[in-house]
Amino acid sequence: FAPNTASARIRLGRSITLEPLITATVGSATRLVGGLETDYDVSAVDVELTVRVPIQRRGRVGLSVVGGGSASRYRSTGSGSDDDTRTDRAAVVWGLGLDYALGPHWSLSMTALNPLLRRSRDRFESPEGATGFDELTYGVVFDPLINGMIHVYL
């Protein structure tokens, strides 16, 4: 699936940058379940907000501490009456960010985000009935999700 992503950076002076991010995905898929092909409609939405605080700058490169939160929902609706799934997740993240200023109106950034606290709730429908599980994980772990972006400043 090709997600549609929108992000903006809001600079608050020279010290803090807010970065909201919204991702929406819609599509369809076919799964092979028990020897039968089943068509599914899939949708997902993810909302994130990170806060960047610069800690070091050398020339055009800046190093920032990053913290934030995210919430997401994934839904898969099958063609049958008992094959729907839904996953809801919320997380608090921390990480590091690098910014490289290409000019006064352009920059490149790399951000490595790690989970600090994550809540996940999964629900499944099956012929036996609805089932699901909840999961809460926490800890300071360095297992980053790395994002790269190009920024245009107006």
Side-chain angles (χ1 to χ4, degrees):
F1 305 107
N4 297 307
T5 303
S7 175
R9 277 193 170 179
I10 302 163
R11 287 186 178 174
L12 304 175
R14 291 187 171 266
S15 59
I16 295 177
T17 302
L18 302 177
E19 194 167 16
L21 177 77
I22 298 173
T23 303
T25 306
V26 177
S28 60
T30 301
R31 290 186 195 154
L32 186 62
V33 179
L36 300 171
E37 286 188 354
T38 304
D39 294 325
Y40 288 87
D41 292 324
V42 179
S43 63
V45 65
D46 183 48
V47 178
E48 299 177 25
L49 175 66
T50 56
V51 178
R52 299 171 80 90
V53 178
I55 56 173
Q56 183 67 41
R57 185 160 208 67
R58 181 169 287 161
R60 294 178 169 222
V61 179
L63 176 66
S64 299
V65 173
V66 182
S70 67
S72 64
R73 173 169 281 179
Y74 170 85
R75 177 173 278 160
S76 172
T77 306
S79 57
S81 62
D82 55 5
D83 51 6
D84 297 346
T85 62
R86 187 179 89 194
T87 301
D88 297 314
R89 289 197 171 98
V92 175
V93 296
W94 69 277
L96 297 172
L98 283 176
D99 290 291
Y100 181 78
L102 298 170
H105 300 289
W106 293 85
S107 73
L108 297 173
S109 71
M110 296 289 287
T111 307
L113 293 175
N114 301 280
L116 182 62
L117 175 70
R118 185 182 321 175
R119 170 83 190 253
S120 179
R121 176 176 284 176
D122 295 285
R123 298 290 175 253
F124 311 97
E125 289 184 9
S126 68
E128 292 82 30
T131 61
F133 62 90
D134 294 336
E135 180 180 50
L136 177 66
T137 57
Y138 56 90
V140 179
V141 178
F142 190 75
D143 184 17
L145 171 65
I146 300 175
N147 296 321
M149 294 187 137
I150 299 173
H151 305 278
V152 178
Y153 299 103
L154 304 175

